[in-house]
Amino acid sequence: MVVSSPSISTFFWTWFLLLKKAQSATPDEWRSRSIYQLLTDRYATTDLSVNTPCPSGYQGYCNGTWDGVSKGLDYIQGMGFDAIWISPVTKQVEDRTRAYHGYSQVDLYQLNSHFGSLEDLLALSSALHERGMYLMVDVVANHFASENTAETVGYSSFNPFSSNSDFHYICWNEELESDLANMQLCWLGNDNYPLPDVNTTQTGVREAYSSWIQELVANYSIDGLRIETVKNVEPDFFPGFQESAGVYAVGEVADGNVGYYQTLGFFAYPGNTTTNLINLINAVNYECKDPTLLGSFSENHDQPRFAYWNDDIVLAAMSIITYTVLSDGIPIIYAGQEQHYSGADDPFNREATWLSGYNTTSPLYTLITSLNKLRKQVISKSPTYTTTLSSLIYTDDHNIALRKGPSGAQVVTVVDNKGGGSEAYDLILPGTEFAEGEEITEVLSFTSFVPSMGGNSTLSMTVYGVRPNVSTFISFLGRGGEWDWYTLGGFTGRTRF
């Protein structure tokens, strides 16, 4: 039975889009944003301590709070991010080992007091909006959590779904991509740690979720949602949820056919070729209604860090992060990625950001700052930059060159998976749309030059293996652009023409 919900008047890759209401930020406005994902418990403590213990792999609260996030926004905004994605805010099970991340909810209408108070969450929302930043909140529609066994779940303690009739019968999710019925009907977890699967096919359940999300978004001025376990819920649940939320959202789809795995497979393993990644890019552009509204990410809280697979900072810094930020979609960087964290699978990939000392001079922090600055400046000069799909203008086994943006405001990005220490080699890039005699800037080294162009706007370049093998070219900044020189490992200026 769905119980009535109490008033809270004092009181977010990747699969689909939820449209925002007229008074909220539009999908096009989200398209121009870049998102910093953080686990609320692991980003900042209220006193911004960098010494609060949080051992690697620890499953429990480390005392990160919403107030800490508010006080730590300078670090995030300093990298050029204008949106953050925080953990689910709802009340959790008492078992700290299952609750600190926010995905074990028991009550939609109470907040997780470990993260702070209602006033703290409101203050975070206000602090973001005062800076011109957006708030994205993680939400869960698929399941609740119980500290009892599956057969002895205390449904009456849940809110607003307080009866076993609000949930599917017990069966276990085998997580087989070929069996959607099993995914949508059966429970995640196991008998000792069950996640009761909400029966979202029921009209009453849908109405309750719609009412809750409408209040949550309105009362905390939430700008976007990230939705957990989207593929575990039947698709026709979401139109009503969308209408009630009225905000942009991205949804989690843990599937081997999505972009994360092909991107990781290419950049983390120098022996792999570009084939799978190219096929993925082509498939997304063909099958997705609007790839520019998908989330672009290369790390998150569910997967091992990139540096766990390959700790080559050239690949991590210059290649995969550059690809993440400058390819199609809305870039998402996971807290700690900028500090080259190397945690393995969950829970080791949930390191406390404060243990880095919030280092703003680390190579990856500096790189991300430059990339976000570039992206924003291009967007400001070309309203259609974000909606123009990238074109693959060159590929071989280990290099990809993308041109994004309309002619006159195009960005040409070259990335490879060879890493540091490879021998120098030449590339010829056709179809850049740069003109003969036009001054071009290689952004990451801030090297400006007037190259000799071949036919079909062909640009010739030499890649030096002892330096980061990425080049990002633009034509309209010239030497007057407001850019900081970027240095990685002592190298500045890395491409010869």
Side-chain angles (χ1 to χ4, degrees), residues 13 23 36 69 149 175 260-261 327 333 344 352 373 449 468 489 491:
W13 50 124
Q23 71 272 22
Y36 186 79
V69 177
T149 65
E175 300 191 55
Y260 164 79
Y261 297 99
S327 59
I333 296 294
K373 188 183 294 186
F449 56 94
F491 299 112

Side-chain angles (χ1 to χ4, degrees), residues 289-335:
K289 181 178 180 180
D290 190 349
T292 68
L293 284 167
L294 298 176
S296 173
F297 67 96
S298 46
E299 286 190 10
N300 65 25
H301 61 292
D302 288 326
Q303 303 295 333
R305 300 277 191 174
F306 181 87
Y308 170 80
W309 302 110
N310 190 322
D311 65 359
D312 187 332
I313 198 167
V314 170
L315 288 171
M318 302 302 294
S319 292
I320 198 166
I321 289 179
T322 299
Y323 180 83
T324 299
V325 176
L326 296 182
S327 59
D328 295 327
I330 302 169
I332 304 172
I333 296 294
Y334 174 43

Side-chain angles (χ1 to χ4, degrees), residues 197-213:
D197 197 84
V198 183
N199 188 348
T200 48
T201 66
Q202 295 187 69
T203 300
V205 168
R206 292 187 176 191
E207 291 174 346
Y209 262 131
S210 292
S211 177
W212 166 70
I213 197 62

Side-chain angles (χ1 to χ4, degrees), residues 398-412:
H398 298 285
N399 290 273
I400 289 180
L402 297 168
R403 185 191 69 242
K404 181 170 177 61
S407 181
Q410 72 271 35
V411 176
V412 173

Side-chain angles (χ1 to χ4, degrees), residues 404-485:
K404 181 170 177 61
S407 181
Q410 72 271 35
V411 176
V412 173
T413 301
V414 185
V415 291
D416 74 11
N417 70 343
K418 292 188 175 184
S422 60
E423 297 181 356
Y425 56 94
D426 296 327
L427 291 179
I428 299 175
L429 310 179
T432 65
E433 297 189 0
F434 294 133
E436 184 72 34
E438 186 174 28
E439 186 177 56
I440 296 172
T441 299
E442 199 292 291
V443 174
L444 298 185
S445 64
F446 197 59
T447 303
S448 295
F449 56 94
V450 178
S452 177
M453 305 296 295
N456 190 28
S457 302
T458 297
L459 176 66
S460 299
M461 61 176 284
T462 298
V463 176
Y464 292 94
V466 296
R467 297 172 179 174
N469 298 335
V470 61
S471 300
T472 301
F473 305 103
I474 54 178
S475 63
F476 55 79
L477 284 180
R479 299 181 186 277
E482 298 178 359
W483 298 99
D484 297 323
W485 284 85

Side-chain angles (χ1 to χ4, degrees), residues 17-345:
L17 167 71
L18 302 179
L19 298 176
K20 290 171 88 61
K21 292 181 179 178
Q23 71 272 22
S24 303
T26 66
D28 192 55
E29 289 170 322
W30 266 101
R31 211 184 255 114
S32 65
R33 297 276 160 160
S34 55
I35 302 168
Y36 186 79
Q37 178 203 354
L38 59 90
L39 294 183
T40 302
D41 182 64
R42 302 298 165 91
Y43 178 69
T45 60
T46 296
D47 61 359
L48 292 186
S49 168
V50 296
N51 299 313
T52 300
C54 190
S56 174
Y58 178 64
Q59 293 181 284
Y61 289 106
C62 287
N63 298 321
T65 63
W66 294 318
D67 190 32
V69 177
S70 295
K71 294 174 179 176
L73 289 177
D74 283 350
Y75 174 83
I76 299 171
Q77 195 171 36
M79 269 184 288
F81 290 103
D82 44 21
I84 67 168
W85 150 16
I86 64 173
S87 306
V89 302
T90 50
K91 183 180 178 180
Q92 303 288 297
V93 296
E94 292 299 320
D95 184 346
R96 292 170 175 245
T97 67
R98 300 177 59 204
Y100 72 95
H101 45 66
Y103 299 104
S104 297
Q105 65 191 10
V106 296
D107 191 331
L108 298 183
Y109 285 95
Q110 293 192 56
L111 297 177
N112 186 341
S113 61
H114 290 275
F115 294 164
S117 67
L118 177 153
E119 290 78 14
D120 292 334
L121 184 53
L122 285 170
L124 172 57
S125 178
S126 295
L128 287 162
H129 294 140
E130 288 172 3
R131 293 168 175 258
M133 300 174 71
Y134 288 171
L135 173 61
M136 174 177 282
V137 174
D138 212 325
V139 297
V140 184
N142 178 66
H143 58 265
F144 273 50
S146 175
E147 295 183 273
N148 297 338
T149 65
E151 292 78 12
T152 61
V153 169
Y155 294 99
S156 62
S157 65
F158 294 156
N159 185 31
F161 310 117
S162 58
S163 169
N164 62 348
S165 64
D166 298 324
F167 296 82
H168 288 123
Y169 294 111
I170 299 171
C171 60
W172 296 109
N173 191 320
E174 299 176 1
E175 300 191 55
L176 298 175
E177 296 176 8
S178 60
D179 192 348
L180 283 177
N182 175 268
M183 286 187 179
Q184 294 169 6
L185 296 174
C186 294
W187 295 19
L188 295 168
N190 56 54
D191 187 66
N192 292 322
Y193 299 97
L195 298 177
D197 197 84
V198 183
N199 188 348
T200 48
T201 66
Q202 295 187 69
T203 300
V205 168
R206 292 187 176 191
E207 291 174 346
Y209 262 131
S210 292
S211 177
W212 166 70
I213 197 62
Q214 185 176 42
E215 289 190 33
L216 185 74
V217 168
N219 286 289
Y220 292 107
S221 300
I222 295 168
D223 304 288
L225 303 173
R226 184 268 187 181
I227 305 177
E228 171 81 353
T229 52
V230 164
K231 72 175 181 179
N232 296 75
V233 179
E234 70 282 357
D236 64 7
F237 166 82
F238 292 106
F241 195 74
Q242 170 223 333
E243 184 178 358
S244 299
V247 295
Y248 165 87
V250 290
E252 178 202 19
V253 179
D255 189 308
N257 293 319
V258 298
Y260 164 79
Y261 297 99
Q262 285 78 9
T263 304
L264 174 71
F266 174 66
F267 287 108
Y269 301 99
N272 288 350
T273 69
T274 58
T275 300
N276 288 339
L277 182 55
I278 293 170
N279 289 341
L280 182 279
I281 294 171
N282 291 332
V284 168
N285 289 346
Y286 177 77
E287 295 179 10
C288 294
K289 181 178 180 180
D290 190 349
T292 68
L293 284 167
L294 298 176
S296 173
F297 67 96
S298 46
E299 286 190 10
N300 65 25
H301 61 292
D302 288 326
Q303 303 295 333
R305 300 277 191 174
F306 181 87
Y308 170 80
W309 302 110
N310 190 322
D311 65 359
D312 187 332
I313 198 167
V314 170
L315 288 171
M318 302 302 294
S319 292
I320 198 166
I321 289 179
T322 299
Y323 180 83
T324 299
V325 176
L326 296 182
S327 59
D328 295 327
I330 302 169
I332 304 172
I333 296 294
Y334 174 43
Q337 190 169 1
E338 75 279 6
Q339 301 296 344
H340 203 44
Y341 278 4
S342 58
D345 210 345

